[in-house]
Amino acid sequence: MSDSEAPPAVAPEGVSGARGLPQEALEIASGYAFAGPALDLGVLLWDGRCLPDARIRIPLPVLNRHGLVAGATGTGKTKTLQLIAEQLSVQGVPVFLADIKGDVSGISAPGVSNDKVLARAQEVHQEWTPTACPAEFYALGGMGKGIPVRATVTSFGPVLLSKVLQLNQTQEQSLGLIFHYADQKGLELFDLKDLRAVVTFLTSDEGKTELKGIGGLSPATAGVILRSLTAFEAQGMSPFFGEPEFDTSELLRMAPDGRGTVSVLELPEVQDKPQLFSTFLMWMLADLFHDLPEVGDLDKPKLVFFFDEAHLLFAGASKAFLESITQTVRLIRSKGVGVFFVTQTPKDVPSDVLAQLGNRVQHALRAFTPDDQKALKATVKTFPNSAYDLEEVLTGIGTGEAVVTVLSEKGAPTPVAATRLRAPQSLMGPVDPAALDRAVQESPLYGRYAQAVDRESAYEKLAARDAAAAQAGRAPAKGGGRAKEEPSVVEQVVGSGIFKSLARSMGTQIGREITRSLFGTARRRR
């Protein structure tokens, strides 16, 4: 060989079968040759060729550094979720998936072999075996097929509730004041009728002076909150709030064989109420944040959480809500929880949140309109420098292909890699409805959460007070005045033996104030 002839490219250690590739492709492949445990996404695509021995992977320890799965409708985002989820389960990591369209339930059943699946497996050198994952199915408030998931109004908190009621910032602050009052005075907010009762009392002749010392509640704002609650209940939302409240530690359960349980929240029945389900998912994450201890970096995450249709979470969100999401995503990593947002383009996610997402799987984008072109250029700018022409690649890759960059074992971004993805080994589609019903009713959690409970709380306490006032010949709180000598509800509650005992035990500084998280949610009292 003459001096002018370049030697053939040599594959880096850990990248087999890659001799003769261009140097750029070898450098990309070597960036994914991890020594430790990793999830297999697929294989490298270069210059129109599929390179089956250049595997594209995500190191298991960095899954708590969060991620983004994006792409146009029909490009394979859901199958990517399924692929990642089933491999996490095998590695002993529990997974939470939101099933918006009702087609993720198939993860609980083995896949079906066909020519298309076998051809894909052969292309990427995948040993494809039909495999089911251990799964639990949930439904918000029991609306749909699944174990009912409920939250008390108190634990949901004013910030998240303002999001689903579509209140503005001033109304959100007033709602926070109402929660503060209820916490202080022993008026438990378990369901929506409890909240309605407290708001009604605070706008009555008897109750309207109760908040004067801490800002007050204007009749106009109270009216907006009551009307929003009425509209919310009219949409059938009441079942989502109440008891028994779902314990989010159930999401950390393991199967007897050591695999992580895949928790599937079935949402087809509420897909026309996007703010509700997206905010409920945020409640789950905030509740987990409360309860999990700090653990730092682990060999594998404790749980990986997927927010499907993530743009719905951020649309019309208040500044406080966006700040809280950013803080939660930033801090929950140290508790061993990974969060993946799934949406159409990265611009759907606020930049402060996007900056926390170290692992990226970008499916194809469309560029049919000027807005599409702008979204494409913005997406390209979110990737590291690349050997690819990403605008061309992102509009040219097919279904089941994606552009990938993840964090290496050392925490540095890997080279951008066009990737042909592996095929999921579980069923790519919904399971039979009868099988789903059977799985729900045979779950050990069904007996714990299926039946709703209505304990004494603010509604019953205020109703009892009104009944006692009527018996004594006084007008109830919602009408007329009261004689000066009669004690107010606050005086009655504060003067009770139970309240005095509790106040002594907790100290005068905090009284009955419930510790709240970044989202204003209450710590669960177990």
Side-chain angles (χ1 to χ4, degrees), residues 318-392:
S318 68
K319 182 179 178 182
F321 186 82
L322 292 175
E323 288 174 350
S324 299
I325 291 176
T326 304
Q327 286 182 291
T328 301
V329 172
R330 181 180 295 124
L331 298 175
I332 204 167
R333 177 190 67 79
S334 63
K335 300 199 173 192
V337 176
V339 181
F340 275 68
F341 294 96
V342 186
T343 190
Q344 294 199 4
T345 71
K347 73 172 187 175
D348 294 334
V349 181
S351 57
D352 287 344
V353 176
L354 191 63
Q356 307 298 318
L357 312 181
N359 304 297
R360 306 278 298 280
V361 180
Q362 176 68 57
H363 288 264
L365 291 174
R366 310 301 181 213
F368 300 140
T369 69
D371 285 345
D372 291 343
Q373 288 283 356
K374 289 170 66 176
L376 174 63
K377 291 182 183 296
T379 297
V380 169
K381 290 179 180 179
T382 65
F383 280 89
N385 291 334
S386 168
Y388 296 95
D389 179 343
L390 286 182
E391 286 193 31
E392 180 180 340

Side-chain angles (χ1 to χ4, degrees), residues 260-272:
T261 298
V262 179
S263 298
V264 182
L265 183 63
E266 292 291 323
L267 294 168
E269 297 293 331
V270 293
Q271 60 179 293
D272 59 337

Side-chain angles (χ1 to χ4, degrees), residues 99 105 136-140 142-148 264-269 431-438 440-441 446:
D99 189 5
S105 59
E136 290 281 5
F137 297 96
Y138 301 98
L140 290 184
M143 195 174 195
K145 298 178 182 295
I147 296 162
V264 182
L265 183 63
E266 292 291 323
L267 294 168
E269 297 293 331
V431 296
D432 180 73
L436 181 55
D437 287 338
R438 188 165 54 252
V440 170
Q441 293 176 14
Y446 186 76

Side-chain angles (χ1 to χ4, degrees), residues 53 69 71 111 217 219 244 269 275 318 322 333 343 409 413 423 443 504:
D53 294 308
V69 178
L217 176 66
E269 297 293 331
Q275 281 198 319
S318 68
L322 292 175
R333 177 190 67 79
T343 190
E409 293 163 311
S443 168
R504 285 195 298 269

Side-chain angles (χ1 to χ4, degrees), residues 24 28 48 146 203 299 332 373 376 401 454 487:
E24 294 95 333
I28 294 171
T203 55
D299 292 337
I332 204 167
Q373 288 283 356
L376 174 63
E401 298 175 345
D454 189 8

Side-chain angles (χ1 to χ4, degrees), residues 51 55 58 132 152 214 236 247 260 304 370 382 431 455 511 521 526:
L51 309 178
R55 295 159 64 195
I58 304 180
T152 63
I214 50 175
D247 185 345
V304 178
T382 65
V431 296
R455 288 194 294 153
T521 56
R526 305 195 194 283

